[in-house]
Amino acid sequence: EAKTSGKNRYHLFNSAFYDAMRQRTKREKELRAAIAENQFVMHYQSRVDCKTSKVTSLEALVRWNHPTEGMLGPDEFIGLAEETGLILNLGELVIDLVCTQIAQWAHGVYACVPVSINVSSRQFNERDIRESIASALARHGIDGSCVEIELTESSMVVDPRRTADNLRAIHALGVKLLVDDFGTGYSSLSMLHNMAFDVLKVDKSFTSRLGIDESGEVFFRAIITMAHSLGMRVVAEGVETAEQARILEALQCDELQGFYLFRPVPAEELPGSLHLDSLSAAH
Ligand code: C2E
Ligand code: MG
Ligand code: MG
Ligand code: MG
């Protein structure tokens, strides 16, 4: 009796384990095909300057237009792409999709608006990302100042010396460097400054604390003061309310990004004007 139920439990675990394995293998195969057939589309989310209420930049965010499951967000496939190494090819594809779009914007309101590209840790550490970007710029005939890259703090710890050299070489193309999800890792501001970063994007977990308790405000105030003294700009991510926007403006945060201002949309659905009818008037 005890033996049987133990055996059943084993079979149960065993089949659940194999189901998960089979599911993962299927997903990986689908992802590989999706990259080969380019089933991906980029959505773009505007960033806004607090002082001018104008769009300063667009963040490119990848979506997988899955043949049977519809539009999937990055949280459903970037992790698997990283684990399997498929991120290297997906990353190249993203750079190409973004540069294709930038070239199409050669005329019109988005012509001079830089687009920031999220670069994953493996893509940064295992590929010559400077070469990927430089060749995409040349292929599409666009200027380095049209592109920015976003890296998380965890991408830099793998090899700080190589990271610094790499970043300087990318910067020399005219490409701006942004730290993504800042505050969730362990890098110091002086290190980031030495690595030539232009912009800190403060993680949305800090933004969501604004107006609830003092901690978010204390963090932003300290970061903004230090970043400014080092010549870096500060962007608040994940701004969802008028109150958060108001507090961030009062703290002299440089730029805001979040659902309160703009949601990520396909290129065709971006607004026809770069002007957000005054940020302050919005709240
Ligand atoms: P991230 O780079 O930190 O991007 C910001 C994420 O927050 C995006 O989610 C965006 O849609 C979401 N967001 C923007 N405003 C708000 C807001 O006000 N509230 C909340 N709750 N969320 C907001 P998304 O598009 O699902 O992307 C998630 C993550 O996937 C990104 O985080 C980035 O790390 C990664 N990712 C996205 N596109 C790419 C890509 O092309 N390549 C790579 N390697 N990673 C990407
Ligand atoms: Mg980002
Ligand atoms: Mg982020
Ligand atoms: Mg993130």
Side-chain angles (χ1 to χ4, degrees):
E1 161 72 53
K3 233 180 193 168
T4 322
S5 75
K7 205 172 163 196
N8 284 340
R9 252 199 315 278
Y10 171 76
H11 281 301
L12 203 62
F13 164 78
N14 208 24
S15 84
F17 177 77
Y18 282 108
D19 280 352
M21 286 290 287
R22 221 171 293 133
Q23 184 56 34
R24 196 191 130 98
T25 308
K26 174 171 170 270
R27 237 338 180 232
E28 184 180 339
K29 247 173 94 180
E30 288 177 348
L31 191 55
R32 201 176 293 279
I35 294 167
E37 296 166 21
N38 183 15
Q39 296 171 0
F40 298 92
V41 288
M42 304 309 295
H43 283 192
Y44 296 89
Q45 187 182 28
S46 307
R47 247 165 49 206
V48 176
D49 185 297
C50 289
K51 288 213 180 84
T52 63
S53 304
K54 271 186 75 177
V55 172
T56 52
S57 174
L58 302 169
E59 179 172 8
L61 297 158
V62 71
R63 271 91 182 98
W64 177 4
N65 194 1
H66 190 283
T68 57
E69 292 170 44
M71 208 61 97
L72 303 180
D75 291 341
E76 298 188 63
F77 59 89
I78 290 286
L80 181 63
E82 278 262 333
E83 288 163 33
T84 53
L86 287 170
I87 193 72
L88 299 175
N89 292 334
L90 178 57
E92 292 288 324
L93 182 57
V94 164
I95 292 172
D96 199 66
L97 288 171
V98 170
C99 289
T100 302
Q101 183 60 63
I102 293 171
Q104 279 175 21
W105 277 326
H107 308 285
V109 286
Y110 290 95
C112 300
V113 181
V115 180
S116 70
I117 300 173
N118 290 285
V119 174
S120 80
S121 180
R122 284 193 69 174
Q123 194 186 354
F124 183 76
N125 288 293
E126 295 173 29
R127 272 286 156 90
D128 185 348
I129 188 81
R130 194 213 74 93
E131 178 51 32
S132 300
I133 294 170
S135 75
L137 293 173
R139 212 163 50 242
H140 294 278
I142 59 182
D143 199 78
S145 62
C146 296
V147 173
E148 305 177 335
I149 65 165
E150 302 193 7
L151 278 179
T152 59
E153 293 167 271
S154 55
S155 307
M156 306 168 203
V157 297
V158 177
D159 186 349
R161 277 284 293 277
R162 184 178 169 274
T163 297
D165 291 346
N166 224 340
L167 289 174
R168 261 189 296 275
I170 297 168
H171 213 223
L173 298 170
V175 173
K176 285 224 173 73
L177 307 173
L178 284 65
V179 182
D180 204 353
D181 304 342
F182 178 75
T184 59
Y186 297 95
S187 43
S188 74
L189 280 187
S190 71
M191 180 191 99
L192 296 174
H193 174 62
N194 288 335
M195 287 184 171
F197 279 99
D198 303 285
V199 181
L200 299 180
K201 298 187 75 174
V202 176
D203 191 66
K204 51 179 167 281
S205 58
F206 297 97
T207 307
S208 65
R209 281 185 223 158
L210 294 171
I212 291 170
D213 59 48
E214 285 288 288
S215 66
E217 205 165 322
V218 166
F219 182 81
F220 268 103
R221 183 175 291 116
I223 293 308
I224 290 168
T225 305
M226 285 197 282
H228 285 175
S229 70
L230 293 167
M232 292 187 281
R233 284 170 73 81
V234 178
V235 178
E237 292 189 322
V239 179
E240 293 181 349
T241 69
E243 190 188 16
Q244 290 165 355
R246 185 182 50 71
I247 296 169
L248 289 160
E249 279 181 275
L251 291 171
Q252 321 256 305
C253 187
D254 301 288
E255 294 174 37
L256 308 182
Q257 185 176 18
F259 296 163
Y260 175 63
L261 303 127
F262 290 102
R263 285 184 176 265
V265 290
E268 321 78 78
E269 289 171 32
L270 283 165
S273 160
L274 297 182
H275 233 272
L276 185 71
D277 309 314
S278 173
L279 207 53
S280 310
H283 46 78

